[in-house]
Amino acid sequence: MDTITCFTTRPDTNFGATFIVIAPEHKFAQKILQKKIKIQDEAQYQSIETYIKSSLQKTERERLSEGGKKTGVFTGFYAINHLNNRLMPVWISDFVLADVGTAAVVGVPGHDMRDFEFAKAHNIDILRVVVGSDRDISPIIRKEQIQEEEGTMINSGFLDNMDIHKATKEIMNYLVQKGWGEMVITYHLRDWIFSRQRYWGEPIPMVFCKKCAGDKISYWDKHEVETYDLHVSGRDQSTRTIYKNSSDLIKDIKETMYGWFPLSDKDLPLKLPEVQSYEPNQSGESPLVQMRDWVKTSCPHCGGEARRETDTMPNWAGSCWYFFAFAMNQVPSSKSQTSSLDQISPPAGGLKSQISNSSWLPVDWYIGGAEHAVLHLLYARFWMHALHDMKLIPFREPFRALRNVGMVQAEDGRKMSKSWGNVINPDDIVEKFGADTLRVYEMFMAPFSLEVAWSTQTLRGSSRFIQRIWQIYSDSAKIAKPGESYNKKTIAELQKVILKITVDTPNVKFNTSIAALMEFLNIWEKNEEKLPKNHARDFLKLLAPFAPFITEEIWQSIFDETTSIHTSAWPKADAQLITQEQLYIPVQVNGKVRDMIIVHENEIDEKRVLEKALKSEKIQRWIKDQKYKIIYIKGKILNLVTA
Ligand SMILES: [Zn+2]
């Protein structure tokens, strides 16, 4: 009897487990392959061997894609589900990855799409253990019946009738009590090669001393860690534990570490030397190797001659915590406002106090492409967790919210690629159309998170929009002078635009915000329309986040402002202006529009609208003293049909 430990995020559905899938790399699969576990049927052994070997030749991407086809091979073995003593066939499949969870999963085909497809493909039982809001309790035979998110438990013993979220907690406690499982948090974090042989990267603050290497001493010697006061003394117990654990981890490579020491705190930060050329050299070594004066230093331990590490850190070493720099700059360490990132390092008062005092952390929003969600985001969180464990920062999670931005594809609908020659370079667009046009276009082109193909035609539309903005503000006739009349309905429309953009923009609905601005411009451009100056300024402010340059120019040159529009107060919608709304009601005589009357929205009953229409000279001219029938669609149109 062997044990297979499975990882699941849905323990609530465990009564519905009907099979086990292990990765080809799983030790149980490897035991079969090495014949440590005997398979009687030679043909079956052959098929297992063939499957495992071909799986291991595939890349992870190939294993996960394959057009969604769920391949696999049955081992001939069964696992017992402790919850109901059900025998579950053990399969090997390459859709389970070796480094995710325990490299083994329970198959719950009734409530997981991937498991469902696998069960269908291999003729495995499908059980229902959750009832969704549709109350469907029939056997699950179609994809549409799979309830993955919400529902109530059935066919699950003591979990029956519980909401799945409650059931999840109950079953976890139960499994722990029984000693059948434990609660874990897993991260799909890969090993990270941390050194690069190039100039641009943070230098690694490590020093190698030949003499100490000869004496078999390094920073990580147990004795050293206890007495070395660089990082450990003065810190609390948990920090010391972390250093001790790291020295335990390093045991296996202890000999290769002889002679290596970190720089002492007073020598940090270590900066890159100024160089003439930072091209990589032929030998493949870091360009820093050539900087002999920089490389040569003294040993932090014995004071003898030593050399610096010449490899540098990868991009993400900085990007995992660069956002601290903004927070550190927010709280100037001296009276003079520090603005250069160079000046603020190292921070006065220490990282800890600067971060703790900053209202800018944790970061409100993390915005990146979907590709960031699994790599950079995870690494950055990993760093924060480590810093938090070391009690250097007061929070564990660095980002409060994540928003993925959709990828912009080439005009031909394919991914932009040099090899296809379809790359759009933003610099060229800025050169030709201006930065405002590019910004407006990119925010207008599609909902924020959607992929969208580049469209030069839409770009031209954005360019025209910007030009029309310039024209209308340059036209003094479009801005009402004091005492000059204007259309209250237009002002009411503007209040609605203010409300809409104030709500849409923080919700990343940039495209609908810009659409509202464009619609309003259409209204304002109409023949006699004018905006009083304060409302024209409000409209400009609404546009400012989307087209920062032209709005600033208009703000200063047309409105004679001396401070930036971007520091001006955001416009507030005036609710009174909206409720005092006026309506245009077309008045027809015998089906032809002869006039428009303006009524307050509280005066749209038939009697008052007719009264107003009959006062119109234009209408009188067509009606004269004929009798007429009245057809009125409330608030929309009045038609007078003469007999
Ligand atoms: Zn030394």
Side-chain angles (χ1 to χ4, degrees):
M1 177 108 78
D2 232 288
T3 302
I4 293 176
T5 304
C6 294
F7 174 78
T8 178
T9 56
R10 290 294 306 277
D12 53 315
T13 60
N14 270 0
F15 280 92
T18 56
F19 61 99
I20 298 282
V21 190
I22 59 175
E25 295 90 343
H26 192 278
K27 66 177 191 294
F28 189 77
Q30 292 298 315
K31 278 185 191 171
I32 293 174
L33 197 62
Q34 294 153 11
K35 300 197 168 171
K36 286 177 186 162
I37 294 174
K38 287 275 181 299
I39 302 254
Q40 300 301 331
D41 182 351
E42 183 57 25
Q44 191 174 10
Y45 176 82
Q46 289 297 336
S47 65
I48 293 172
E49 186 185 35
T50 309
Y51 185 81
I52 292 179
K53 286 189 171 162
S54 76
S55 295
L56 297 183
Q57 280 164 7
K58 293 182 199 168
T59 64
E60 182 178 316
R61 194 176 286 262
E62 285 168 345
R63 283 169 62 163
L64 291 179
S65 61
E66 303 239 329
K69 221 173 98 191
K70 299 288 176 286
T71 62
V73 61
F74 179 42
T75 59
F77 291 92
Y78 290 84
I80 300 165
N81 184 346
H82 287 306
L83 289 171
N84 52 12
N85 289 322
R86 188 188 177 91
L87 287 179
M88 303 181 291
V90 178
W91 286 70
I92 300 170
S93 173
D94 58 15
F95 82 77
V96 178
L97 299 177
D99 53 355
V100 179
T102 57
V105 298
V106 277
V108 183
H111 305 287
D112 180 279
M113 192 58 77
R114 206 173 53 169
D115 293 352
F116 178 82
E117 286 167 355
F118 191 86
K120 274 279 187 195
H122 303 289
N123 214 8
I124 301 172
D125 291 348
I126 299 170
L127 297 181
R128 174 188 285 282
V129 291
V130 178
V131 183
S133 54
D134 57 4
R135 310 310 303 164
D136 177 13
I137 54 164
S138 65
I140 295 168
I141 49 172
R142 298 185 319 274
K143 272 198 248 186
E144 298 72 39
Q145 288 175 288
I146 295 172
Q147 189 51 252
E148 283 186 314
E149 303 293 334
E150 298 296 335
T152 309
M153 307 305 303
I154 57 165
N155 303 327
S156 295
F158 68 97
L159 299 178
D160 281 356
N161 300 319
M162 277 183 208
D163 172 77
I164 60 167
H165 303 290
K166 180 159 191 275
T168 302
K169 289 193 186 104
E170 293 289 326
I171 189 78
M172 286 198 290
N173 291 335
Y174 183 78
L175 294 175
V176 170
Q177 262 171 28
K178 289 280 184 181
W180 293 339
E182 58 175 335
M183 296 180 222
V184 291
I185 295 172
T186 72
Y187 296 93
H188 186 193
L189 196 63
R190 292 187 176 86
D191 286 346
W192 181 3
I193 296 172
F194 202 71
S195 59
R196 297 287 187 275
Q197 293 72 49
R198 61 183 176 213
Y199 177 79
W200 293 112
E202 297 82 352
I204 297 171
M206 295 288 296
V207 165
F208 177 75
C209 169
K210 213 169 176 178
K211 181 180 170 296
C212 289
D215 295 343
K216 300 193 172 181
I217 299 170
S218 86
Y219 172 71
W220 285 272
D221 285 301
K222 195 172 180 312
H223 173 73
E224 288 292 321
V225 172
E226 278 166 8
T227 56
Y228 215 71
D229 65 353
L230 285 181
H231 296 273
V232 183
S233 68
R235 296 262 163 83
D236 61 24
Q237 185 58 41
S238 68
T239 313
R240 279 197 286 273
T241 308
I242 289 166
Y243 278 95
K244 189 185 169 306
N245 289 346
S246 75
S247 63
D248 286 347
L249 282 174
I250 220 123
K251 265 180 195 150
D252 291 346
I253 52 167
K254 195 176 167 192
E255 286 179 22
T256 66
M257 299 308 290
Y258 287 151
W260 283 102
F261 297 90
L263 287 188
S264 60
D265 279 3
K266 67 176 169 50
D267 295 325
L268 294 175
L270 175 62
K271 291 184 182 172
L272 285 170
E274 301 279 337
V275 292
Q276 296 293 330
S277 153
Y278 44 78
E279 300 297 317
N281 57 34
Q282 295 295 324
S283 65
E285 285 177 310
S286 164
L288 291 177
V289 172
Q290 306 303 322
M291 309 290 112
R292 302 200 190 284
D293 289 348
W294 183 82
V295 171
K296 200 173 143 186
T297 185
S298 56
C299 172
H301 181 67
C302 72
E305 193 179 314
R307 64 173 168 83
R308 294 186 195 283
E309 171 60 58
T310 53
D311 282 358
T312 55
M313 299 186 202
N315 294 347
W316 285 357
S319 69
C320 280
W321 67 321
Y322 72 94
F323 37 89
F324 281 8
F326 299 113
M328 283 151 68
N329 210 23
Q330 188 199 358
V331 187
S333 51
S334 65
K335 275 180 188 164
S336 63
Q337 190 86 17
T338 51
S339 56
S340 146
L341 290 186
D342 232 22
Q343 284 173 279
I344 60 159
S345 178
L351 176 77
K352 193 175 172 177
S353 79
Q354 297 237 350
I355 299 301
S356 304
N357 289 329
S358 173
S359 59
W360 288 3
L361 289 171
V363 173
D364 293 311
W365 271 34
Y366 177 112
I367 296 184
E371 74 279 10
H372 287 121
V374 280
L375 295 173
H376 177 259
L377 176 67
L378 194 55
Y379 285 116
R381 290 179 60 211
F382 168 66
W383 277 51
M384 294 306 118
H385 288 198
L387 291 172
H388 183 254
D389 286 345
M390 294 163 82
K391 298 195 165 27
L392 288 170
I393 56 172
F395 50 85
R396 192 164 177 81
E397 291 297 341
F399 312 116
R400 287 203 173 101
L402 166 74
R403 196 63 82 127
N404 290 138
V405 60
M407 196 193 294
V408 179
Q409 294 158 333
E411 194 136 26
D412 57 15
R414 292 187 295 182
K415 206 172 165 175
M416 288 191 198
S417 158
K418 274 184 191 159
S419 58
W420 287 326
N422 59 3
V423 176
I424 309 263
N425 181 351
D427 289 341
D428 299 339
I429 304 297
V430 170
E431 182 71 26
K432 203 168 166 194
F433 294 94
D436 281 341
T437 293
L438 178 65
R439 281 175 66 101
V440 166
Y441 168 60
E442 291 225 303
M443 287 187 266
F444 180 60
M445 69 201 301
F448 189 74
S449 59
L450 284 196
E451 279 190 11
V452 61
W454 183 268
S455 158
T456 301
Q457 202 188 337
T458 317
L459 175 78
R460 286 183 201 285
S462 301
S463 175
R464 274 193 300 275
F465 171 65
I466 296 292
Q467 285 166 22
R468 283 160 57 202
I469 289 288
W470 179 253
Q471 279 158 11
I472 203 160
Y473 278 97
S474 304
D475 182 356
S476 58
K478 297 304 284 182
I479 296 173
K481 292 170 187 65
E484 213 176 346
S485 69
Y486 54 87
N487 187 349
K488 286 196 173 141
K489 186 170 189 299
T490 308
I491 305 302
E493 281 305 317
L494 180 61
Q495 306 313 303
K496 288 187 204 161
V497 178
I498 294 173
L499 283 179
K500 182 171 175 56
I501 294 182
T502 305
V503 172
D504 281 2
T505 304
N507 286 306
V508 235
K509 290 181 176 170
F510 302 139
N511 58 326
T512 55
S513 296
I514 292 171
L517 291 167
M518 288 175 168
E519 280 164 28
F520 185 80
L521 180 62
N522 288 341
I523 296 173
W524 187 13
E525 280 177 338
K526 278 180 194 149
N527 305 333
E528 298 301 315
E529 289 287 351
K530 292 170 191 289
L531 280 184
K533 194 171 163 187
N534 59 328
H535 295 294
R537 286 160 55 101
D538 276 356
F539 182 63
L540 195 67
K541 287 179 184 181
L542 295 176
L543 179 62
F546 306 100
F549 301 104
I550 194 170
T551 50
E552 183 78 314
E553 181 64 25
I554 293 169
W555 184 249
Q556 300 195 358
S557 66
I558 309 279
F559 294 121
D560 294 326
E561 290 286 348
T562 51
T563 55
S564 172
I565 189 171
H566 304 298
T567 57
S568 67
W570 186 250
K572 278 203 177 75
D574 185 338
Q576 281 195 324
L577 293 178
I578 297 180
T579 51
Q580 289 172 3
E581 196 172 328
Q582 292 169 314
L583 295 176
Y584 285 88
I585 296 182
V587 183
Q588 296 182 334
V589 179
N590 297 331
K592 282 198 171 146
V593 178
R594 297 303 180 187
D595 200 4
M596 286 275 213
I597 56 164
I598 301 169
V599 290
H600 190 274
E601 65 174 3
N602 299 332
E603 304 172 341
I604 56 169
D605 55 294
E606 190 183 290
K607 184 171 164 263
R608 279 196 259 192
V609 168
L610 181 64
E611 209 176 273
K612 210 157 195 175
L614 292 178
K615 281 184 187 159
S616 156
E617 281 181 21
K618 289 177 192 164
I619 299 299
Q620 282 300 333
R621 205 182 308 153
W622 291 97
I623 300 263
K624 295 188 178 140
D625 46 9
Q626 303 171 78
K627 288 197 168 170
Y628 53 83
K629 229 168 63 185
I630 302 160
I631 303 166
Y632 176 55
I633 300 168
K634 197 172 180 185
K636 296 270 194 278
I637 193 164
L638 174 68
N639 192 5
L640 305 175
V641 183
T642 55

